[in-house]
Amino acid sequence: MSNPAVHYDVIDGIAVIAIDNPPVNALGHAVRHGLIAALDRAEADSAVKAIVLGCKGRTFSAGADITEFGKPPRDPGLHEVIERFDNSTKPIVAALFGTTLGGGLELSLGCHFRVATADAKMGLPEVKLGLLPGAGGTQRLPRLIGPEKAVAAIVSGKMIGAKAAHADGLIDAIVADPIPGAIDFAKTMLTDGRKLVRVRDRSEKITAAKADPSSFDKAASEATKRLAGVEAPAACVQSVRNAFTLPFEDGLAAERGMFMKLVMGDQSRAQRHVFFAEREAQKIPGMLPEVKAAKISRAVVIGGGTMGGGIAMNFANAGIPVTIIETDEQALTRGLDRVRQTYDVSVKRGALPEGATETRMALFSGTTDWARIAEADIVIEAVFEDMDLKKRIFEKLDAHARQGALLATNTSTLDVDAIAQSTKRPADVLGMHFFSPANVMKLLEIVRGKATSHQAIATAIGIGKTMGKVPVVVGNCDGFVGNRMLARRTTECERLMLEGALPQQIDAVVTRFGFPMGPFAMGDLAGLDVGWRIRKHRGVTAPISDALCEQGRFGQKTGRGYYIYENGSRTPAPDPEVETLIVETAARLGIMRRQIDDDEILERMTYPMINEAARILEEGIAIRPSDIDVVWVYGYGWPVWRGGPCFHADLVGLSKIAERLDHYAKATGDAGLAPSALLRQLAGESKGFADFGKAAKVAAE
Ligand code: T1G
Ligand code: NAD
């Protein structure tokens, strides 16, 4: 019975088994079944002298089918399929191309030989899903490239290029065309009578580590630094260590055991949630399939400051020529010099190859001449955060930009509709809210205005992906999604200091939870004057932070903020002067300070934001809860292995969160802390954000 997911053919005595399961040839049940059937056929056919394993479509298999995880396993399992290939008496050559990942690479490691196209990439990224390679990757990869390189590749989950893979012995040859190249390789191998050696039987690369594991230990600790609290990396290290300390079968069984434990755990569930949430975020309900992103061949950025320079780098990094428009030559030079320095630092660090600065700067031009705007397919404005100035800019843009060009503002706080209304083409206007540093941070909040067209949104999502960003479409409101929720945490930070906590205590709780940085250290990094200017503009106060700013304590840039930074260091040190200021301010406001425990701090650093997330969903500012999770994971450092605020809230339970919020609303007298209608409703129905998300999806279909 033919299986559409796996094709079988025989060419010159070589059986060609080709997986055909678009879009990424995931090794779902039908594929596994088809692979076994095809192998049986090849082995039974005496005319078949060797086997080539390949794939149809755009890539060799990108791994196990993640959608099957957490569901009852269906035989044959992937490890069983690989076992069969491993034990074949006929030589098998895997033909790699595109992105060969996870179980896909593991399957190829069960083959006797691997060939790949020059632009092929391969890797074991399971750690990014809170897992470890569970089909032999931690036992076979070290046998090919050595335990040190294997542990670095597996704990980072990074992809390896074909050239490096060939140099390391992961692949046997680079070919022009995967399957024909593999067939030629098989024929040569047969003619040469090359001996079949299973990867499992290779030991030359693990012997040294067996004798002296010190360099492995060094590689492992290097790979796992800054991953405290995350389960998968530690399991990866242990399993690779097993590869040179245990017999193969025992190492394989231990790997399987660790995999089964992780796949059922909250961390992997959270990371798989984020994997699919990131892709779901690009699906806009009601957008017709024929609405496609317009091609962007030329870009203009207005304002070459902190954000403008970084935004322009994203275009150049994607190979798109970009022009920066500034007020005068001096500002222009300043902006372009800063971009050049940023590239030079990346080249010096080895993050970019030699010569990259020149290659990328060649795509840059600068001018004060607005006529250049006519040549752009997209214009992104990043001038000072001033509404009148932005309105003037967009009026002028209307006169200069070609019809159909996408017009975007990088505002972080201003009303996108008001900006759009200053043009005669509000349908082509939206917000593209990048995060600082704009050439690094992955999140892109795409702010749709009332009049913004689906075409404009599709183009913004498209260029966002081309830049390597994670685009999320949000509605237009004060602070959009991320900053609006962050404001709730900032309010609690101020309150907690007055009530008894210190910046270093709060930051310790937040970093222990998994954030790379606490709110106070982050404030000092971004500059306390930014928030101060916004508060003054809005007429709101934050007694302690305002007092610090009045003393010129703007954070790292002035050497003092919530912390002190000795001699230009970037390491925050508690400053007794700040504690004194906090105690005096509380006394002046008649607030009795008390001992506050870490649990309360964590609740107040997360629950008010979760409550705001519910309001954001009520108002339709976010399309689905998982979008909010993507915003926080990619823009605000929410630990990916905790899934994001909404995913985490469902783990804690909305009724507990509602009960605690009621408590804090009473204790602080802040009605804004009381559970929102949606949170109370879901809690009342013993439901979670996930249920709301599902209902929203069904309603949109
Ligand atoms: N399983 C199921 N669906 C997958 C999938 C997978 N492995 N990979 C991608 N998809 C879906 C994705 O959700 C999207 O669906 C569509 O394919 C296109 O993907 C035992 C345990 C390969 C680099 O971690 O990194 O093997 O949104 O939009 O940008 O040890 O997909 O269209 O409905 O991302 O071109 C290990 C995961 C699995 C690789 C292509 N493998 N995939 O990127 O397209 S665990 C991975 C990717 C494993 C074994 C273990 C990327 C890509 P939809 P896309 P892309
Ligand atoms: P910045 O002060 O560093 O840069 C603004 C630049 O705009 C300056 O170089 C200035 O010369 C230029 N400019 C001013 N008027 C101009 C005009 N008429 N024509 C051309 N150029 C002009 O400011 P920034 O931090 O880059 O912020 C820019 C925008 O990005 C603001 O709207 C801000 O809210 C938003 N934003 C900032 C951050 C951040 O962390 N800094 C993050 C997200 C969004």
Side-chain angles (χ1 to χ4, degrees):
M1 225 294 291
S2 82
N3 175 333
V6 176
H7 300 269
Y8 183 86
D9 200 352
V10 178
I11 302 169
D12 303 343
I14 311 284
V16 178
I17 299 175
I19 300 169
D20 187 1
N21 184 24
V24 296
N25 290 312
L27 303 167
H29 180 254
V31 171
R32 299 193 304 271
H33 208 271
L35 286 172
I36 295 276
L39 187 61
D40 288 344
R41 222 171 139 183
E43 287 185 328
D45 182 346
S46 58
V48 168
K49 303 303 178 211
I51 302 164
V52 161
L53 172 64
C55 287
K56 303 267 186 200
R58 63 178 168 134
T59 181
F60 190 87
S61 174
D65 186 336
I66 307 169
T67 61
E68 291 184 349
F69 293 171
K71 296 179 184 145
R74 298 177 64 196
D75 287 337
L78 182 53
H79 54 287
E80 194 187 329
V81 173
I82 296 175
E83 199 68 14
R84 284 294 317 279
F85 274 69
D86 204 19
N87 293 328
S88 169
T89 54
K90 298 185 179 179
I92 307 179
V93 183
L96 314 185
F97 66 105
T99 51
T100 300
L101 302 173
L105 183 61
E106 290 174 298
L107 176 59
S108 81
L109 295 176
C111 301
H112 304 97
F113 304 100
R114 284 148 298 284
V115 300
T117 56
D119 60 357
K121 291 193 174 65
M122 52 210 85
L124 296 174
E126 286 85 345
V127 74
K128 295 182 180 172
L129 298 169
L131 300 167
L132 85 171
T138 66
Q139 302 309 299
R140 290 190 172 92
L141 188 65
R143 284 172 164 76
L144 280 182
I145 68 173
E148 294 77 11
K149 284 191 175 153
V151 78
I154 291 172
V155 171
S156 68
K158 280 205 186 106
M159 294 202 221
I160 306 167
K163 200 153 158 273
H166 193 210
D168 290 345
L170 176 50
I171 61 170
D172 301 280
I174 292 189
V175 296
D177 193 347
I179 290 183
I183 291 173
D184 291 347
F185 183 91
K187 287 180 179 169
T188 316
M189 194 260 322
L190 287 171
T191 329
D192 302 354
R194 234 165 107 177
K195 198 164 157 314
L196 287 196
V197 183
R198 300 181 303 174
V199 175
R200 69 160 65 197
D201 302 327
R202 310 265 296 262
S203 59
E204 67 277 15
K205 292 271 180 88
I206 57 173
T207 326
K210 221 182 232 156
D212 169 12
S214 57
S215 59
F216 171 79
D217 296 338
K218 192 159 162 287
S221 69
E222 181 57 32
T224 53
K225 64 180 188 229
R226 281 197 291 280
L227 292 172
V230 195
E231 295 157 355
C236 292
V237 168
Q238 181 53 50
S239 199
V240 175
R241 187 185 297 283
N242 292 345
F244 60 85
T245 55
L246 296 179
F248 181 83
E249 284 303 339
D250 299 359
L252 207 59
E255 179 197 78
R256 190 104 201 101
M258 285 187 256
F259 180 85
M260 293 316 289
K261 187 160 167 288
L262 289 171
V263 80
M264 303 315 278
D266 288 342
Q267 293 195 2
S268 179
R269 278 192 326 108
Q271 289 178 258
R272 292 180 338 242
H273 163 75
V274 173
F275 176 87
F276 288 114
E278 183 185 330
R279 287 150 181 83
E280 197 67 17
Q282 292 149 27
K283 299 173 184 153
I284 310 305
M287 188 183 277
L288 301 172
E290 55 271 23
V291 176
K292 296 274 181 262
K295 185 163 172 31
I296 303 288
S297 331
R298 191 156 199 75
V300 165
V301 175
I302 305 177
T306 314
M307 296 305 287
I311 294 168
M313 288 174 74
N314 292 315
F315 286 112
N317 296 348
I320 298 170
V322 59
T323 302
I324 291 184
I325 295 190
E326 260 288 356
T327 48
D328 54 54
E329 289 305 324
Q330 215 197 348
L332 204 49
T333 311
R334 202 174 44 239
L336 290 171
D337 286 354
R338 196 178 10 228
V339 168
R340 177 178 287 280
Q341 281 151 23
T342 309
Y343 279 131
D344 285 345
V345 170
S346 301
V347 170
K348 213 192 262 118
R349 279 214 206 111
L352 286 177
E354 275 309 319
T357 300
E358 294 324 316
T359 325
R360 311 235 168 151
M361 288 310 291
L363 292 164
F364 271 81
S365 58
T367 183
T368 56
D369 172 11
W370 275 66
R372 295 283 299 281
I373 284 186
E375 60 199 50
D377 304 311
I378 182 172
V379 182
I380 303 184
E381 163 275 313
V383 302
F384 303 134
E385 187 73 341
D386 175 280
M387 181 55 99
D388 295 342
L389 172 61
K390 291 193 191 279
K391 282 184 173 175
R392 283 201 305 280
I393 295 265
F394 274 77
E395 272 161 32
K396 240 169 124 184
L397 267 181
D398 218 1
H400 289 275
R402 71 165 177 72
Q403 283 309 317
L406 181 63
L407 309 180
T409 171
N410 183 52
T411 180
S412 38
T413 60
L414 299 173
D415 180 349
V416 171
D417 285 324
I419 294 172
Q421 291 311 325
S422 58
T423 72
K424 296 184 211 52
R425 49 174 121 175
D428 299 336
V429 178
L430 44 70
M432 286 181 75
H433 184 211
F434 291 81
F435 290 76
S436 182
N439 58 309
V440 178
M441 294 299 286
K442 290 205 38 121
L443 179 66
L444 173 63
E445 271 186 327
I446 295 173
V447 185
R448 69 193 303 172
K450 287 197 185 66
T452 304
S453 67
H454 275 162
Q455 180 57 59
I457 292 171
T459 302
I461 292 174
I463 188 65
K465 285 182 70 178
T466 305
M467 288 171 165
K469 302 299 180 189
V470 177
V472 179
V473 177
V474 300
N476 178 34
C477 69
D478 189 5
F480 315 133
V481 167
N483 286 348
R484 176 172 162 177
M485 291 167 66
L486 185 69
R488 287 286 175 187
R489 186 176 81 176
T490 308
T491 305
E492 284 310 302
C493 285
E494 191 71 27
R495 265 203 199 113
L496 281 164
M497 284 194 289
L498 289 168
E499 293 175 25
L502 289 173
Q504 55 270 32
Q505 181 193 9
I506 299 170
D507 277 1
V509 169
V510 172
T511 48
R512 237 192 338 272
F513 180 75
F515 278 85
M517 201 180 263
F520 297 94
M522 193 165 97
D524 277 357
L525 177 68
L528 304 183
D529 52 326
V530 181
W532 191 35
R533 253 202 316 276
I534 293 169
R535 284 195 300 277
K536 279 201 282 190
H537 185 67
R538 293 180 175 190
V540 293
T541 61
I544 294 170
S545 306
D546 293 348
L548 290 172
C549 289
E550 274 136 25
Q551 293 176 7
R553 300 179 68 117
F554 295 156
Q556 283 193 18
K557 58 180 145 186
T558 57
R560 290 165 184 267
Y562 292 112
Y563 296 101
I564 189 163
Y565 301 85
E566 306 286 3
N567 318 323
S569 105
R570 298 171 68 128
T571 313
D575 187 344
E577 283 180 25
V578 172
E579 182 165 351
T580 310
L581 183 145
I582 293 171
V583 172
E584 286 169 359
T585 308
R588 183 167 51 74
L589 298 170
I591 298 171
M592 281 297 293
R593 300 186 82 237
R594 59 185 170 89
Q595 275 299 323
I596 301 182
D597 67 30
D598 291 354
D599 292 347
E600 175 176 346
I601 289 174
L602 185 59
E603 288 185 349
R604 292 171 69 175
M605 285 294 99
T606 51
Y607 295 177
M609 292 206 294
I610 289 166
N611 198 22
E612 198 60 28
R615 290 195 183 95
I616 285 169
L617 290 166
E618 284 165 14
E619 297 164 24
I621 295 294
I623 295 168
R624 67 216 108 194
S626 59
D627 288 1
I628 297 175
D629 291 338
V630 172
V631 164
W632 271 80
V633 167
Y634 284 105
Y636 295 82
W638 186 284
V640 65
W641 46 277
R642 289 192 185 275
C646 297
F647 183 90
H648 173 71
D650 285 359
L651 273 184
V652 173
L654 299 190
S655 41
K656 172 175 180 201
I657 294 175
E659 179 263 321
R660 297 302 291 159
L661 283 167
D662 273 325
H663 163 74
Y664 291 126
K666 259 194 234 77
T668 61
D670 175 358
L673 279 179
S676 70
L678 176 62
L679 195 77
R680 219 181 265 295
Q681 176 211 330
L682 292 171
E685 297 162 2
S686 307
K687 286 186 176 160
F689 282 114
D691 302 296
F692 177 87
K694 285 198 198 97
K697 190 167 181 173
V698 173
E701 270 148 15

